[in-house]
Amino acid sequence: GYAITDIKTMFLSDLYPPDKRDESKEYFTAMLSGERDFCPVPMLRKDGNSLQVETRVWAGKWGGKDCIFAIVKDLTGEQEALLKFSSIFENNPAVMAINSFPYAVFIDVNSSFLNRLGYSRDEVLGKSVAELGIFAEEEERKLFGAELARKGRISNVEIKVCSKEGEILFGLFSG
């Protein structure tokens, strides 16, 4: 929202909310020393609204003179997509989980997963599918893992999983 004439008279730190300027300067110092890759502090638009960005700075030369380069990426689209995904994931009636591959360690699970399988979030996150014994048949787990590694996906395969209490549940697995 700033005019080029405004930008020419401003410091980069002027684009950050006054209460975040010291924090942004700490990030910049860390980026210039190679300790950090980017600054996640939101910028302030000319109209006063916050703008979610990722700022990267590095030292260089321009026309033979020392300078600092800065690139600011607007993350608005990514944030909106993440919010939509998160809402769909969390509110989906289907049992859903996000796992690392190939180790099948749970990174996140939705409420349906917790409610249907009887686990708490703390009992699941950071644990592997094998550790929790989610698959009713160990051989099935190995076959699905091999199929995912070979093809990169699995769709609508019948599966038997175990709840925390040992109840066998039948469903379709996609990954």
Side-chain angles (χ1 to χ4, degrees):
Y2 294 95
I4 193 71
T5 52
D6 295 333
I7 297 285
K8 285 182 176 183
T9 63
M10 297 171 69
F11 292 103
L12 183 59
S13 61
D14 293 339
L15 295 170
Y16 290 90
D19 64 331
K20 299 284 186 181
R21 288 183 184 151
D22 287 341
E23 182 182 358
S24 68
K25 287 176 184 178
E26 288 174 18
Y27 275 106
F28 294 163
T29 300
M31 285 187 286
L32 291 171
S33 69
E35 297 171 33
R36 296 208 52 118
D37 293 328
F38 66 94
C39 173
V41 178
M43 286 189 154
L44 192 60
R45 298 169 45 103
K46 187 172 184 174
D47 65 11
N49 289 318
S50 181
L51 180 65
Q52 193 63 44
V53 298
E54 177 181 281
T55 306
R56 295 178 184 268
V57 298
W58 66 96
K61 291 200 180 284
W62 183 269
K65 294 183 180 180
D66 290 335
C67 68
I68 295 176
F69 293 96
I71 293 180
V72 179
K73 180 180 178 185
D74 181 351
L75 298 177
T76 304
E78 286 90 341
Q79 292 290 55
E80 288 172 1
L82 182 59
L83 286 172
K84 284 179 186 176
F85 171 80
S86 296
S87 179
I88 291 167
F89 177 78
E90 185 55 36
N91 298 306
N92 201 306
V95 171
M96 298 178 76
I98 300 174
N99 292 6
S100 66
F101 188 78
Y103 305 108
V105 172
F106 289 103
I107 296 169
D108 201 359
V109 294
N110 69 356
S111 293
S112 294
F113 181 103
L114 299 173
N115 294 334
R116 190 66 184 110
L117 297 179
Y119 288 97
S120 72
R121 194 169 300 281
D122 289 340
E123 290 174 309
V124 175
L125 298 187
K127 303 278 188 340
S128 72
V129 170
E131 283 177 287
L132 293 175
I134 298 288
F135 280 82
E137 298 175 8
E138 180 64 16
E139 192 59 35
E140 203 172 63
R141 181 187 68 79
K142 290 177 183 176
L143 285 171
F144 289 171
E147 180 86 359
L148 278 169
R150 191 167 40 84
K151 289 186 176 177
R153 69 178 57 209
I154 293 177
S155 294
N156 297 321
V157 179
E158 290 183 19
I159 185 175
K160 290 181 273 196
V161 296
C162 289
S163 73
K164 181 179 175 181
E165 300 302 319
E167 178 186 1
I168 303 295
L169 307 170
F170 295 85
L172 295 175
F173 177 78
S174 295

